[in-house]
Amino acid sequence: VFGKSSVAAILQYVCGQIGGFTLKENLGGLKYDKFVIQNGATGFEVLQKIKEQYGISIYVKGGSLVANLKYIERNGSVSYDFKRNIKESNLKWVEEQDVKVEVRVRGVGADNKQTETVSVGSKGGEVRKLPNKINVTDKATLDKIAREELKRLTYKGFRGDLTTWGLPFCDIGYSARIIDGDYPDHEGTYFVKAVETEFSKNGFERKITLGEKS
């Protein structure tokens, strides 16, 4: 049982139990009021619980357990130009003022009664309620969680997907720079949240789905 602890401290403990892994994290001081590891729980089960609770990114890479707030890390970069290497586009340009979203997150204390609610974004807009965060009442932690979700939902730029060829290589977690010669002010860089590859008589194609704008 961990009392009031940072998520990083719990992950460090898991690394020690698993053995052979070092922790690389950028979690900005996320905290639990209380965290219980049940007897017999595997390291994977503990990590999965933390991922689901906070919506953070956790994975193993090169002997390290990497944990970040979503979209902080980029695994590589690639450029796509409407006049060069974009075969088809389902991208839509959206102005930031057209996206009205309010994100609410509620922290529930260890007694299941003590609560703290944080709201960020545009009042009167679409309300997105995140799942309750059990044993999390630290207001700064809840604010980070809510703002990460707001960042994912609201930005001025492209939304949707594009189809390109096999090269250049691209994968989930990459930064994709989008260049539009007809609208230079639309140039920007986005998190790649999904990649589908297809081999057919038309050759090797990738369907790139964009996430938030950097």
Side-chain angles (χ1 to χ4, degrees), residues 46-60:
V46 174
L47 296 179
Q48 192 64 29
K49 179 179 178 180
I50 294 173
K51 283 178 67 174
E52 292 172 354
Q53 186 75 359
Y54 282 103
I56 61 180
S57 172
I58 303 177
Y59 57 91
V60 172

Side-chain angles (χ1 to χ4, degrees), residues 15-154:
C15 284
Q17 294 301 302
I18 296 174
F21 291 102
T22 58
L23 176 65
K24 292 184 179 179
E25 57 89 12
N26 191 344
L27 298 174
L30 294 180
K31 295 177 181 177
Y32 268 110
D33 292 350
K34 180 181 179 183
F35 188 84
V36 178
I37 299 178
Q38 301 293 340
N39 287 336
T42 66
F44 174 80
E45 289 170 336
V46 174
L47 296 179
Q48 192 64 29
K49 179 179 178 180
I50 294 173
K51 283 178 67 174
E52 292 172 354
Q53 186 75 359
Y54 282 103
I56 61 180
S57 172
I58 303 177
Y59 57 91
V60 172
K61 183 178 181 181
S64 295
L65 182 69
V66 183
N68 290 310
L69 294 169
K70 281 188 176 179
Y71 308 118
I72 283 181
E73 186 176 48
R74 297 294 187 267
N75 297 323
S77 61
V78 65
S79 292
Y80 294 115
D81 189 325
F82 279 95
K83 295 185 177 181
R84 283 184 48 248
N85 58 355
I86 295 179
K87 182 181 179 182
E88 296 177 4
S89 170
N90 292 312
L91 296 177
K92 179 182 178 182
W93 182 263
V94 178
E95 295 290 335
E96 189 173 0
Q97 62 266 25
D98 294 331
V99 184
K100 303 294 184 183
V101 179
E102 179 184 355
V103 177
R104 296 176 186 171
V105 60
R106 182 170 179 254
V108 180
D111 58 2
N112 289 320
K113 295 179 181 179
Q114 179 186 354
T115 62
E116 178 76 49
T117 300
V118 169
S119 176
V120 298
S122 302
K123 300 291 184 182
E126 177 188 358
V127 176
R128 294 288 186 96
K129 292 183 179 180
L130 301 181
N132 288 347
K133 305 305 175 184
I134 308 300
N135 292 324
V136 181
T137 57
D138 179 67
K139 194 167 184 177
T141 292
L142 294 171
D143 187 74
K144 284 180 183 294
I145 294 170
R147 291 191 182 281
E148 281 295 302
E149 181 66 9
L150 183 67
K151 188 177 178 182
R152 185 182 73 82
L153 297 171
T154 60

